[in-house]
Amino acid sequence: MSPAPLSRRDRLRNRAVAVAVLVSVWCLLWGSFTWANVLGGLTVAAVVLAVFPLPPVTFAGRVSLPGVLRFVLRFLLDLVVSSVQVAALAFRVGHRPASAVIAVPLKVRSDLNITLTSVALCLVPGSIVIDVDRATGTLYVHVLGVRDRAEVERFRRGIWRLEERIITAVGSAAERRLVAAPDPVSPQSSADRKGTRV
């Protein structure tokens, strides 16, 4: 599903948001919001946006406070549980934890959803996104502690549930319909070995 072309108003809004973020980061790096830092940040933002134009990342959704609360609470729970699991693996003497690289095609292929899902995955111990296929919306995630295909499939379904919580929190109505659809068919692999994409 290709995104609709942006209107002039949307392009100006996205540019204004990008400038505001860049100026804020610039001032935070200097440690204070002075007029000199703000003007310096505006100059840097103008150069960055002129020399390194970024692809448009649009926000077409609507923030849902119950959805945001649900996402935050579940994310904190996952953070605690995963931290304990990784710590337990680290302290097991002589044990070499199994791992795998799992291909997960997301249901919503927008740049914003890919970014938010990737960041949320990387913040949880035990998983990290090592590659992204932007054209197909597929994440390649390195996961610790998976021993067989059943655990691989359980982790893949967990990523789809994570995506669903993100879209429920900040997605559009069309995106919410996409994540409510049945899960995609899992990518098949010719090998089920440790460290193999499955």
Side-chain angles (χ1 to χ4, degrees):
M1 183 176 63
S2 58
L6 296 177
S7 66
R8 183 172 183 273
R9 178 182 176 185
D10 289 336
R11 289 196 301 271
L12 289 175
R13 181 195 62 189
N14 291 346
R15 184 64 61 92
V17 170
V19 168
V21 170
L22 289 171
V23 171
S24 299
V25 170
W26 180 260
C27 291
L28 289 171
L29 289 173
W30 282 101
S32 62
F33 283 85
T34 64
W35 283 111
N37 288 341
V38 171
L39 291 175
L42 287 171
T43 303
V44 170
V47 172
V48 167
L49 294 176
V51 179
F52 306 105
L54 300 174
V57 178
T58 60
F59 175 70
R62 179 176 296 177
V63 176
S64 166
L65 291 180
V68 171
L69 182 61
R70 177 179 172 231
F71 167 76
V72 170
L73 291 176
R74 180 56 189 267
F75 177 77
L76 292 176
L77 176 63
D78 289 344
L79 194 63
V80 172
V81 171
S82 297
S83 298
V84 171
Q85 291 173 339
V86 171
L89 288 174
F91 283 104
R92 290 181 66 179
V93 179
H95 173 71
R96 183 177 180 182
S99 65
V101 175
I102 304 173
V104 186
L106 298 180
K107 297 180 181 180
V108 177
R109 299 178 182 177
S110 70
D111 289 342
L112 183 60
N113 181 58
I114 291 172
T115 301
L116 292 176
T117 306
S118 299
V119 170
L121 279 171
C122 290
L123 289 174
V124 174
S127 62
I128 186 167
V129 177
I130 60 173
D131 195 11
V132 176
D133 186 340
R134 187 179 171 205
T136 62
T138 301
L139 304 182
Y140 293 96
V141 187
H142 182 269
V143 189
L144 282 177
V146 291
R147 295 179 293 269
D148 53 32
R149 178 162 291 278
E151 291 187 352
V152 166
E153 294 304 324
R154 184 161 56 248
F155 189 86
R156 186 179 280 124
R157 288 193 300 271
I159 295 178
W160 285 326
R161 300 293 80 75
L162 169 64
E163 178 190 22
E164 183 180 351
R165 289 191 294 273
I166 290 173
I167 294 300
T168 300
V170 297
S172 65
E175 291 172 336
R176 289 173 183 163
R177 285 193 295 271
L178 286 175
V179 295
D183 292 339
V185 176
S186 299
Q188 297 299 315
S189 173
S190 59
D192 261 340
R193 299 189 302 270
K194 297 174 186 177
T196 302
R197 288 186 182 184
V198 291

